[in-house]
Amino acid sequence: MDLRPNEQQSMLRDSARRFLGEAYDFDARRKDIVGNPSPGLWKVVTDLGWPGAALPEDAGGLGGSVVEYAILMEEMGRSLYVGPFLSTAICAAALRSAEGPRASELVAQIASNGAKVALAHGEPGGRGFFDRPTAVARGDGDGYRISGRKRLVHDLAAADFALVTAAIADGVGLFLVTPDISGLARRDYRAIDNGQASDLELDGTPAELIVAGDAAQRALDDGFYWLSIGLGAEAVGIAEGALSHTSDYVGVRRQFGRMLSDFQVIQHRLADMFVEIEQLKSSLLGAMSTHGGGPLERMRAALGLKVLAGQVAAKVCGDGLHLHGGMGMTDEMPISHFYRRARVLEAQYGNSDYFLAAYARLLD
Amino acid sequence: MDLRPNEQQSMLRDSARRFLGEAYDFDARRKDIVGNPSPGLWKVVTDLGWPGAALPEDAGGLGGSVVEYAILMEEMGRSLYVGPFLSTAICAAALRSAEGPRASELVAQIASNGAKVALAHGEPGGRGFFDRPTAVARGDGDGYRISGRKRLVHDLAAADFALVTAAIADGVGLFLVTPDISGLARRDYRAIDNGQASDLELDGTPAELIVAGDAAQRALDDGFYWLSIGLGAEAVGIAEGALSHTSDYVGVRRQFGRMLSDFQVIQHRLADMFVEIEQLKSSLLGAMSTHGGGPLERMRAALGLKVLAGQVAAKVCGDGLHLHGGMGMTDEMPISHFYRRARVLEAQYGNSDYFLAAYARLLD
Amino acid sequence: MDFSLSPDERAFREEVRAFLRERLPKDIARRHARGYHPPKADLIRWQVILHEKGWSAPGWPREWGGPGWSAIQQFIFEDECALADAPLPSPFGLKLVGPVIYTFGSDEQKAKYLPKILSGETFWCQGFSEPGSGSDLASLQTRGERDGGDFVVNGRKIWTTEAHFADMMFCLARTEKSERQQDGISFLLIDMNDPGMTVRPIATIDSGHTVNEVFIDDVRVPGRDLVGEPGKGWTYAKFLLDNERTTNSFVHRSKRDFRRMMDIARAAQADGGSVLEDEAFRRRAARVEIDLKALEWAVLRMLSGEVPDPSASASALKLKGSSIQHEILDLAIAAMGPDIIPFYPDTEQGPGDNLPFWTPDEAPGLMAQYLYRRAGTIYAGTSEVQRGIIYKQLSRR
Amino acid sequence: MDFSLSPDERAFREEVRAFLRERLPKDIARRHARGYHPPKADLIRWQVILHEKGWSAPGWPREWGGPGWSAIQQFIFEDECALADAPLPSPFGLKLVGPVIYTFGSDEQKAKYLPKILSGETFWCQGFSEPGSGSDLASLQTRGERDGGDFVVNGRKIWTTEAHFADMMFCLARTEKSERQQDGISFLLIDMNDPGMTVRPIATIDSGHTVNEVFIDDVRVPGRDLVGEPGKGWTYAKFLLDNERTTNSFVHRSKRDFRRMMDIARAAQADGGSVLEDEAFRRRAARVEIDLKALEWAVLRMLSGEVPDPSASASALKLKGSSIQHEILDLAIAAMGPDIIPFYPDTEQGPGDNLPFWTPDEAPGLMAQYLYRRAGTIYAGTSEVQRGIIYKQLSRR
């Protein structure tokens, strides 16, 4: 056991932090998200090879592991990156799990061609990732047609294609759908964290089956594992970013003739933020350690991480918001964006209550 | 509406505080509880008319209300009084509710003769006050015989008689039993707060029926209401006592060259203790306001008060314990006794989880 | 002690309830039930209706056009208004500057300003906070230079709620030299239409618009708009803030919020039942209701004078009130699940495109309100300032 | 990064587990599973068994008789011991003074003291805290006057765990004049049998006996029992305290406590099911397990050197560790219900009369332990001191 990053991993972290710090500082980000988000940033991200960082070399990836992925997500969290990186990674994980030539081909498109993929899985009134899809797929010649509703499809507007879940005869199926295809009504909107999402109404929409039955369930479980690692790592970056902005702010803001940072209650609150972050980082390591482990062990760790990620990010960013006083409530201060991202992260694909209940079911 | 105590109520509070502060200070109390507790104190309490303070004048009481009772319980909490006052008050409430000549006679014995009464209601493995008794009473000539087990009967050792609950044909019955009667095995022990309790094994123990069926259930509900007001008021006194001892301690203890009370984090923690106490006091008033109200409204308020009383007392005393540092952990410091009493109060007749679950069932 | 409402008070509650049922416009109530800030038009319409009834200034004595209600009557009135989803009238005229004017103002000021506050013709805003002085109000930098009998005011105010539609500002400015920071401050009334007044909206975390920055450049305030004595502004400001010892408990609004949260939890389906049937959720809701009911009695204790130390208890009300408010909204968010994620524009006030296809009834406005209310631990004295006040009182015991 | 245990480490875990299964006396494990403090006889018996195996000092290098284990091996060993209910060996010799002696002590001290620590023949106690100096250790008042080559020590120590059965004390005393409070302190080894040593038990909140007050009156300490250089005691004390950066996470013990809590909740019947089936309870248990697992990885990060700032992270471990410990015990108490109320005397160590008739299996010892462990936020640096340490490091970034 050695929990220190190796040299390549350290270099990857340094270069990601440097690149995002320079090309995607707070002002650049504000401009970028107006473009919702701009394709320019994705091009650079692709050129840096990030979408393939954790994908196999024979698919055109860099052959890294969950560690490289987490490093990138953490740095993106620190910079409040907005874009389809996470959605694509979740889909890549599901596709790798699905195997087969078509899935491999799609993985290769992600790894080497910068394809962006959205996961259309949640539905109206749904609570989270483990809800069974009520959208239905029916065979039609060589292909399928899906009818149903999909809700909160993150990053669909930018996506090259979507993976859509639907009920079929032997359980659940994972299908490939092109977003601008006919037979699909779509509404794009922004989320409170300035991310992008869409609602879809599918009405006999043509779709290509990628994987079905138990194998599809395994693909979704793999997707969930990568989702949890991704959000967990992003939450680390978000929380550290929030702590760092808050430390800086209380170090310059004066009240009652003293720096805010001279007040012991403020010092101790910063310390508590640090403690929470330590805990989250450790949970992330624990979840990464189950990558090659048994499915139950991996599921437990992923559920625990999702719960902690949402709660710690919301708590730390909420503390940071409070310590910024009135200024924190403004759109011009980074902390208000950290907090909004944290709130969305907490609710994304199911909130803490949802995943804690799932964890509690596995408690023995 | 006028929430200020009237003149008599203020005088009662002042005299109770003065008497307990003098005759029952921390050292006197330590001696008293070795006697577990001494009969001497009860005699004075009786002479002062406290057991009858809230009982009707025609029964020999002083004709006061739930307010006078709460004032006394609060002052007893402040002085960490140990003795059968609460147990007797709960039984008096149940007996008043039961009505009938026999019950009235017993109320009169409490009000004017200083009779001490214990409630034998809880059973082994039980969770709280609303559990149905599994002890069984069977008719035997004019009287009854009870068989079953009773657990955690507070203040039985000092009691003149006990009210025992048992299942009978039409639901639950409330019976009079003399503790030293034959057919009853009994084990007296001390509680962690230095209170006294007993376990009873009844095996055909002769008993006198006081009230049965719906009326008995109403008597128990009345008992619970007075139990909750009593513990709620005691918790106010306990928490205020703990805050006051803690304020005093941090005002004299030096660390790192300063008084503990000079540290902002300690000041703010004391402030938080105050906030909790304010909340508990208000909840007590709210519960007292339902005295003449409908049964559901009264039950809700009593459940809420019991939850808050246990949690606030434990929280405030726990904070006080922490702020005392190592010294707080010793038997010689009052705060360690406040904390132990608070922990028992929280668990007494059912803990916060138990009563919160009951409250939640009534939520609409 | 007497815990019950008198027959008159009970009748009063019925009267208020009947009035609200008949006169509160449905569309205003519906908009207010959403979490968005009420538009000015709603505030005016409602204020006019209240004024017709003589109820537009619940806290004012009869002498100045108020209904002369007791503290308990005001409590009942606010409680019923909140439960009926009536918008909270803008407090700056009615609750803040009004009492200052009728207590310390000149006859001219009373005659000029009070009637238009009552009628809703004049809206006010509060020029207290400044960029460098948030919780530390006494350190304010805005200056009023004497010029003849007038004051020429320069400075910058921030967090000025409703400045973008206010007609007047009451403003603290340093006009006299003094040793103590608190001295030398005057309480001035400024016309927002003065060309030297510039209002810049502040974009806030909820993507709404309520607060502003106000730039005051060489604004001439006539001597007749100085309230009371020069240099005594700090006293009047403290009077004004102390006047509202129970407002920041948010108790009426939180009762309304609690009901809405329960509705959301009842409607949301999870795992074969409603969210409200989930025992862990239900227990949390029960716990906060216990606290909320205690908070209500804490307010009543304050109104009864049954607190040994009103300033410590007022701080306790704000601390507990803001934490209860937050917990209720947290529960509402938790019950809403992932549906909190979209930004739902206020379709009552702007174009409604880009709304998601599927939106639960209670979702729009909820998250905006949640984000905005995070300021509950900041404004009107941060939680840290409140704890400091409490400790100060405790240490005097 | 490499997350997995090596085959050797996995084999080591099996070896430890097998050893505990075979050699840990059942009666000792049973007593330790209760919450009471282990009797000295148990500590000795177990230490002798460990010593036979060569495992009595897991952290010591081979040179001084330790097994020379890696940090991960020590972690595994402590983990298995806790899960098997082995009593925690008294840390004062093994974890605290032992390393000081083999690092800074004289050859004579090493030869005289180390073997008897290993074998369990000599028990130690720690003379650091004083009535006036709790968290503020550097302000200690005990003095050692030079007399020839010896020191004549006078002072008073408090919270001295196990002083009532210790053979030796390591003690901080002020022996030199100095400007800084931290300087001038020497690290002395004192024989508890010296007639000038008086031990007074401190009655604690749990009604147990573990801590004491120790009066040191004109105790002559020979110069050969001064460790290292005079006036450098503060350095050695800091070395000793820093040596144990992960101990105060309580992680192994909390894992064991978590299992016991689950057993209690499974056994307790409430409302037609076990307490563990109550969804609100179950959710709380799930939440703390998530934290507990993260805590374990936090310890492993520390052992791997994967923390940028070990002293801040050590403080974080203590803060989180003590709060997790508390939450687990809180759950156990909640599951136990009213059965926590009686005082259950430790029947293994005293007369067993006045036990209640009906006592759930897990009840005795639980509440005593709960009360005693409240000190988790106090000893070894209060939570406030830990937060101060963290802030100091944060402010240096």
Side-chain angles (χ1 to χ4, degrees), chain C residues 245 248-250 313-323 375-383 386:
Chain C
R245 291 202 185 278
N248 290 320
S249 72
F250 316 114
S313 291
S315 290
L317 280 182
K318 177 161 191 244
L319 284 165
K320 206 67 192 180
S322 53
S323 98
T377 58
I378 296 167
Y379 69 83
T382 63
S383 299
Q386 307 296 345

Side-chain angles (χ1 to χ4, degrees), chain C residues 40 122-123 163-169 190-199 219:
Chain C
K40 185 179 185 182
T122 307
F123 274 72
H164 54 302
F165 60 64
D167 309 290
M168 292 290 298
M169 169 188 276
I190 306 185
D191 190 330
M192 291 298 286
N193 296 313
D194 190 289
M197 299 291 279
T198 312
V199 176
V219 171

Side-chain angles (χ1 to χ4, degrees), chain C residues 278-281 283, chain D residues 278-281 283:
Chain C
D278 174 75
E279 186 62 19
F281 185 93
R283 213 79 66 87
Chain D
D278 174 75
E279 187 62 18
F281 185 93
R283 214 79 65 87

